[in-house]
Amino acid sequence: MAFKVLALLALAASPMVLAQYGQGHGQQVEQYVSEPHYAYEYAVKDEHTKDIHSHKESRKGDKTEGEYSLVEPDGTIRTVKYHVDGKSGFIAEVIRSGHAVHAPAVVAKPVVAYKPVVAAYKPIVAAAPVYHAAPVYQHAAPAYHAAPAYHAAPAATSYVQNGHNSQYNRHY
């Protein structure tokens, strides 16, 4: 694949050649397009991935000829021969060779019927929660002035981190 890319890059870079002639102010520049001419060929045979294919192509001017082949998943070989000549367009001939090999049919084993396990229903009976009245706090006011309104102190709180009490314990 890398060779194919390099060949295409070389082809793209080569067609224009500028030839200059003449001297002074009356220079004439003529654009010259070279005739493309190349040939390449490669093949891949990877038994591990079963990737087997090849490609070859040659071109001279407007005439291009080539062929490529690959091994299909069923084991047959597909070969495509093609040519382009001037304005005729791309003309291809596809050839299949070899005998298709299909994987044997897999016979499924019988499936054992599913039998659900039914357990007798036993309701979970929990005791009703017990509620207690909140404690009432009283504060004796000094005798020399009226008693201010005091509220109950908040309950002690503890912040737990990582499942245990840590330096974040706060008690009021």
Side-chain angles (χ1 to χ4, degrees):
M1 184 68 181
F3 181 76
K4 190 174 183 180
V5 171
L6 289 174
L8 290 174
L9 289 174
L11 177 65
S14 66
M16 290 193 126
V17 175
L18 295 178
Q20 295 183 359
Y21 1 161
Q23 299 286 332
H25 295 289
Q27 277 188 340
Q28 294 181 356
V29 177
E30 183 178 321
Q31 185 176 4
Y32 174 73
V33 179
S34 68
E35 182 178 273
H37 181 71
Y38 66 87
Y40 69 89
E41 180 175 348
Y42 71 89
V44 174
K45 186 173 183 179
D46 187 355
E47 292 294 336
H48 178 70
T49 62
K50 306 297 183 207
D51 183 15
I52 303 171
H53 63 273
S54 63
H55 189 186
K56 65 180 176 179
E57 182 176 288
S58 62
R59 178 176 181 182
K60 185 166 185 171
D62 289 338
K63 186 175 183 179
T64 304
E65 293 180 344
E67 74 175 62
Y68 63 89
S69 66
L70 58 106
V71 177
E72 299 276 5
D74 64 358
T76 59
I77 298 172
R78 177 176 41 164
T79 303
V80 178
K81 295 182 179 183
Y82 60 90
H83 67 276
V84 178
D85 191 7
K87 297 180 182 181
S88 66
F90 184 83
I91 299 172
E93 175 188 5
V94 179
I95 303 165
R96 286 207 135 141
S97 60
H99 181 68
V101 178
H102 299 287
V106 177
V107 178
K109 295 180 182 179
V111 178
V112 178
Y114 172 73
K115 294 180 183 177
V117 177
V118 179
Y121 175 73
K122 295 180 183 177
I124 299 174
V125 179
V130 178
Y131 296 101
H132 300 283
V136 176
Y137 295 96
Q138 295 179 351
H139 180 70
Y144 53 88
H145 63 77
Y150 287 99
H151 299 285
T157 58
S158 176
Y159 294 92
V160 178
Q161 182 180 21
N162 297 329
H164 65 293
N165 290 339
S166 64
Q167 69 270 18
Y168 299 107
N169 290 345
R170 283 192 357 209
H171 297 283
Y172 294 99

